[in-house]
Amino acid sequence: MNAEQCRCGGSDKRKAIVGITEPGYADHSVEADILSPLGAEVRLLRWGGDRAKLLEMLDELDVVMVRDIPVLDAEAIGHLKAGSGIVRYGVGVDTIDLNAARERGIKVANVPDYGADIEVADHAAALTLALVRRVVTRDEKVKAGQWNIAQKEPIYRINGSTLGLVGFGKIARSYLERMRGFGVGEVLVYDPYITDEYAAQFGAQRTDFDNICRRASIISLHAPATAETRNMVNARTLGLMNEKTCIINTSRGGLIDTAALAEALKAGKIFGAALDVLDKEPVAADCPLTGLENVILTDHTGWYSEASVRSIQEKAAQAAVEILTTGTPTNWVNRW
């Protein structure tokens, strides 16, 4: 269903209004079907980048459902009704001012369990293999008529290499399972929220980020965007790495200082980077990473499969139902 509005059953009371911000998914009949028993009206908020138009739309909503954009800062949240709700399709809530929502009694829910650990872990592994084995550059050069180019560009063996994981949640652990299949050796983990004993259960050693930068050949980022993780990959930490270091990022673009990474890549200080996320999305025309042979970029698609899309829509709609009925979503992230 792609209608601008979907009106669903019930007429004795004012219909609850659930707004879904564009850009959304190709079809929102999943949400409409789940919300229809409540008699809720589902609106697609086609704001076209016009913030003033969006703010006006927010005024009427009982629940707003969002993806990565738009940013729901204090001003935007001020346009929502006190006691209304916000549902984030997915895990990250760094684009939502949780404190502002809390002050207005607005409950924010996310969807942490839609199965994306499978897709993101697969994508991270695919990026790792493509980068280390130079799949993208080989494809380009062979299509351009070149052949027998292997020894002109070194390729390092994955088997026996040291793997560094930044963050050790479900996705990182799923990625580790995949990389063990390729024979990675020592596994180093930086995550201040786990214990040495917990890491050891997975055959990993807990350490600090600087040590990972010094020792790991493959560094895969799986941390949330916080004040502590902002630009953790920067000129200083890049300086600890070497010409064999590969950086994989399927978490948040803000973990990396893009300008510093570009300089390290241009100078050949590290092997390369494969990124599904950037600090500014979509990719800007002046992004210093475009055009570099030792960079692979994908369009924040690590989470995606047809199965994950349906799952995330179903679970997000269920969170909206919880807000409208019990008032307490299962995955309530700004609790008070």
Side-chain angles (χ1 to χ4, degrees), residues 162-167 188-192 205-223 228-241 245-249 251 254-257 261:
T162 298
L163 174 65
L165 299 173
V166 178
L188 305 176
V189 172
Y190 169 62
D191 189 327
Q205 176 188 341
R206 186 169 171 268
T207 187
D208 57 54
F209 183 52
D210 280 8
N211 192 40
I212 284 178
C213 293
R214 293 188 187 99
R215 295 173 55 191
S217 299
I218 301 168
I219 300 174
S220 189
L221 307 180
H222 300 278
E228 291 74 24
T229 62
R230 178 74 184 173
N231 286 343
M232 65 187 305
V233 177
N234 53 46
R236 185 191 70 80
T237 54
L238 284 161
L240 302 175
M241 302 176 194
T245 306
C246 298
I247 297 175
I248 314 298
N249 191 7
S251 55
L255 273 61
I256 296 177
D257 180 334
L261 176 62

Side-chain angles (χ1 to χ4, degrees), residues 72-74 77 86 88 91-110 332-336:
L72 295 183
D73 56 14
I77 287 170
I86 299 171
R88 167 69 163 88
V91 181
V93 290
D94 48 295
T95 58
I96 302 170
D97 190 326
L98 299 180
N99 290 328
R102 186 181 298 112
E103 289 172 3
R104 288 184 57 76
I106 296 172
K107 294 175 179 177
V108 180
N110 68 350
W332 178 11
V333 297
N334 65 333
R335 290 181 178 270
W336 57 78

Side-chain angles (χ1 to χ4, degrees), residues 16-198:
I17 302 174
V18 177
I20 301 174
T21 61
E22 293 282 280
Y25 300 102
D27 181 275
H28 289 285
S29 58
V30 171
E31 294 93 327
D33 289 345
I34 290 172
L35 286 158
S36 63
L38 300 183
E41 174 186 334
V42 176
R43 295 181 181 177
L44 298 186
L45 307 182
R46 302 187 188 278
W47 59 294
D50 184 341
R51 183 173 171 81
K53 183 177 181 181
L54 173 67
L55 296 181
E56 185 177 341
M57 291 176 170
L58 295 179
D59 290 337
E60 297 184 79
L61 304 181
D62 297 285
V63 177
V64 61
M65 302 175 69
V66 300
R67 292 181 66 190
D68 294 321
I69 55 175
V71 172
L72 295 183
D73 56 14
E75 180 188 24
I77 287 170
H79 280 261
L80 290 168
K81 299 172 184 176
S84 60
I86 299 171
V87 177
R88 167 69 163 88
Y89 287 102
V91 181
V93 290
D94 48 295
T95 58
I96 302 170
D97 190 326
L98 299 180
N99 290 328
R102 186 181 298 112
E103 289 172 3
R104 288 184 57 76
I106 296 172
K107 294 175 179 177
V108 180
N110 68 350
V111 184
D113 55 350
Y114 63 99
D117 56 295
I118 299 170
E119 278 76 15
V120 178
D122 285 350
H123 199 76
L127 288 176
T128 304
L129 295 175
L131 181 66
V132 174
R133 295 299 308 171
R134 297 187 183 273
V135 172
V136 176
T137 54
R138 286 297 186 276
D139 172 72
E140 292 172 348
K141 290 179 179 179
V142 170
K143 288 177 178 176
Q146 298 184 49
W147 196 259
N148 198 26
I149 53 180
Q151 295 185 45
K152 295 179 181 179
E153 298 173 332
I155 294 178
Y156 301 104
R157 181 175 288 173
I158 293 175
N159 186 280
S161 63
T162 298
L163 174 65
L165 299 173
V166 178
F168 201 53
K170 191 172 184 180
I171 293 173
R173 298 193 302 272
S174 296
Y175 169 73
L176 174 57
E177 288 180 8
R178 287 150 177 76
M179 295 310 297
R180 286 204 191 281
F182 295 100
V184 294
E186 186 177 23
V187 178
L188 305 176
V189 172
Y190 169 62
D191 189 327
Y193 301 101
I194 66 170
T195 63
D196 293 345
E197 293 75 18
Y198 183 78

